Amino acid sequence: MTDIIQLLPDHVANQIAAGEVVQRPASVVKELLENAIDAGATKITLLVKDAGKTLVQVTDDGIGMSVTDARLCFERHATSKIKTADDLFNLHTKGFRGEALASIAAIAHVELKTRTETSEVGTKICIEGSEVTSQEAAVVPRGTTISVKNLFYNIPARRNFLKSNPVETRHIIDEFHRVALAHPQVAFSMLHNGNDVFNLPASNARQRIVNIFGSKTNEKLVPVSEETEIVKVEGFVIKPQFAKKSRGEQFFFVNDRFIKSPYLHHAVSNAFEGLLKDGAQPGYFLFLSVDPHSIDINIHPTKTEIKFDDEHAIYAMLRATIKHSLGQFSIAPVLDFNKDSGFETPYEYSKKQPVAPTIEVDKNFNPFQKEGAQRNISFPYKREKGASWESLYVGLKQEEGVVSGLEDIEFESEEVSGRLFETTADVEGQITFQLHNKYIISPIKSGMMVIHQHLAHQRILYEELLKNITVQEAVSQQLLFPLTLHFSTPDLEILEKVKEQLEHTGFVFSEIGEEQLSINGIPVNLLESQVAGVLERLINDIKEEVPDAGFSQNDLLAKSMAKSMAVRTGIALNRSEQEHLVNQLFACKEPSIAPNNKPVLVTFDVTDFDKKFN
């Protein structure tokens, strides 16, 4: 039998590894930024073109690399971070696997420029698909610049799986946030297609959060600080009244490394129990410092999963620390009663010595002595006897058709005609019924139809909004006072892109300034109190799944706004509202399917009920 097992060539092995390490342009950004941090950089610049598909370039002022290191860094499992297997449990650097640069070089055109502080000239290396095309000396500043061009050029199928530019840009910004938040002492800047996106100076943790998420974030933060033998917890949580329904501002860092941990997230949610509205998510920026020997980072190539030696203890400490901070800064309610100010000692009396009160006694007072005759008391005004009600009718003449007596006057019946609870006789002619404030039941010729009121209203609003965006403008209700909302700079850029479509739905924007938005008019179907929630949900939906196509963007805009504006489950509707909702639903083009492709109504035939009783 012939031998069938063979070693894979290096370029094939590198492409297999690239499938794990480089999933999208954001993965390249993460690996290059972390390498710059490990190189001891104090200033890092990220340059991106076409959401990273054309170019990702990272420039740092770190220690740089020698000629040999510059060539060797693109080999598989070549790293300066560890030397033995024991070092895996004593990691103080971001990278340690030695696969990132080799994987990136296997699927892109890479250009490396680097120079150490002691070298007079630097090194420039160009690689295409794991093959070195050129290596030469170059005059470059101290540090390293890596340019990754034409990502997935030799794997077209992988390139086709990439999302649209807005979605990929959102992932790149997320990775940039994670590295920038973990290292506030390093200055970061980011440019996308020639435009400045972020320019973050070196600062402390609180200033870094404010610089990234906007100046209004400062008032939302509650400091968290605790140090024990097992873990040291630092950072901030967001006040409950500013909690959002999306999971945007949730960051865990362990030893300055961003991680995802549903278990620790549950600890934070538990600490906020009773303080958040329904559906709201707690926001936090938490930095945990633990002994490197007590964690295992080598779980996944992305290194966002970590195994702890004692998860239960960290869970309990994290939860207790956040509860303590919420109580310490008067965020959580405490058991206290309102005191009467009369019981408090005035400030000017606090230093006075107490003096015994003087007691005066009336020696002539006798409780058993009979009272004398009551004396006449003269009042300053004359008392008059009140006029009787009959005097109101004195002088009235009885004319023809005018009744002076009270015999023929009809009084309101003492019998109460209304009932607190409607009887079944009152609703016999009713066409629709509401069940559990969630479903509308309507009888039909063949049986019965059950309509989900929230999904039905979504379908109605979706078609109405889509028509307003694409065909005709909607009616707008003007506000007496402009409504001012605060958003971060990236969120305002998203709203700026869909401003025209929003104006077609009924919004009137007076100003879109720095980190704030002024609104003069809103759609007729929208309450002023709902505006902030609608726009936040819209921004979150656009971040996740807006394609480039204009119609698809309008479609998502209508879906997002319809979901936010639709009548909620649990709201009671009267008879006319129920019937109006049903009539509007069947005036839609697709009444049976909601915008999210869920069924809106279910029909039950009479034979279905007959089977139940057989």
Side-chain angles (χ1 to χ4, degrees), residues 398 402-409:
Q398 183 175 0
V402 179
V403 181
S404 61
L406 303 176
E407 296 82 12
D408 298 331
I409 296 178

Side-chain angles (χ1 to χ4, degrees), residues 314-387:
I314 293 177
Y315 179 100
M317 290 175 186
L318 185 62
R319 178 170 149 240
T321 301
I322 295 173
K323 275 195 170 185
H324 174 68
S325 291
L326 292 174
Q328 184 181 6
F329 292 94
S330 301
I331 306 300
V334 293
L335 186 62
D336 195 7
F337 299 98
N338 294 327
K339 294 186 294 183
D340 188 348
S341 58
F343 293 132
E344 298 179 357
T345 305
Y347 182 75
E348 60 270 13
Y349 284 91
S350 59
K351 295 183 180 180
K352 287 188 176 183
Q353 294 295 328
V355 180
T358 57
I359 302 174
E360 295 181 0
V361 179
D362 185 4
K363 297 180 180 180
N364 297 323
F365 175 73
N366 185 358
F368 301 102
Q369 185 178 359
K370 293 184 178 179
E371 294 183 1
Q374 187 176 4
R375 293 174 296 172
N376 293 327
I377 301 173
S378 60
F379 292 93
Y381 58 89
K382 185 179 180 180
R383 286 186 174 181
E384 295 182 358
K385 185 179 179 182

Side-chain angles (χ1 to χ4, degrees), residues 464-474 504-505:
E464 182 181 340
L465 289 166
L466 198 58
K467 184 172 70 174
N468 292 336
I469 294 172
T470 56
V471 181
Q472 62 184 22
E473 293 189 10
H504 288 312
T505 65

Side-chain angles (χ1 to χ4, degrees), residues 390-518:
E390 292 92 343
S391 63
L392 296 173
Y393 298 92
V394 174
L396 291 178
K397 296 180 179 180
Q398 183 175 0
E399 299 178 1
E400 187 178 352
V402 179
V403 181
S404 61
L406 303 176
E407 296 82 12
D408 298 331
I409 296 178
E410 293 184 2
F411 292 95
E412 185 179 352
S413 173
E414 293 183 1
E415 182 184 355
V416 179
S417 57
R419 295 181 179 86
L420 183 60
F421 299 100
E422 292 183 347
T423 61
T424 54
D426 295 322
V427 295
E428 282 179 359
Q430 185 169 334
I431 299 174
T432 59
F433 304 87
Q434 192 177 22
L435 180 66
H436 294 303
N437 292 342
K438 184 175 183 180
Y439 300 104
I440 296 174
I441 299 176
S442 177
I444 55 178
K445 186 176 293 186
S446 60
M448 182 179 70
M449 179 171 56
V450 181
I451 300 171
H452 195 294
Q453 69 181 34
H454 178 61
L455 295 178
H457 201 203
Q458 272 192 53
R459 164 53 66 176
I460 296 165
L461 291 173
Y462 167 72
E463 292 197 4
E464 182 181 340
L465 289 166
L466 198 58
K467 184 172 70 174
N468 292 336
I469 294 172
T470 56
V471 181
Q472 62 184 22
E473 293 189 10
V475 179
S476 175
Q477 55 178 336
Q478 298 300 306
L479 300 176
L480 185 60
F481 300 103
L483 180 64
T484 302
L485 302 175
H486 297 276
F487 294 99
S488 63
T489 304
D491 290 350
L492 283 177
E493 289 180 1
I494 291 173
L495 290 177
E496 188 78 51
K497 292 178 182 177
V498 295
K499 178 184 175 183
E500 185 178 350
Q501 291 95 320
L502 286 172
E503 287 175 342
H504 288 312
T505 65
F507 280 100
V508 178
F509 299 102
S510 60
E511 181 186 359
I512 298 182
E514 185 176 350
E515 295 185 2
Q516 73 176 22
L517 176 74
S518 295

Side-chain angles (χ1 to χ4, degrees), residues 285-296:
F285 307 87
L286 296 174
F287 301 84
L288 282 65
S289 299
V290 299
D291 184 3
H293 291 89
S294 66
I295 57 175
D296 184 7

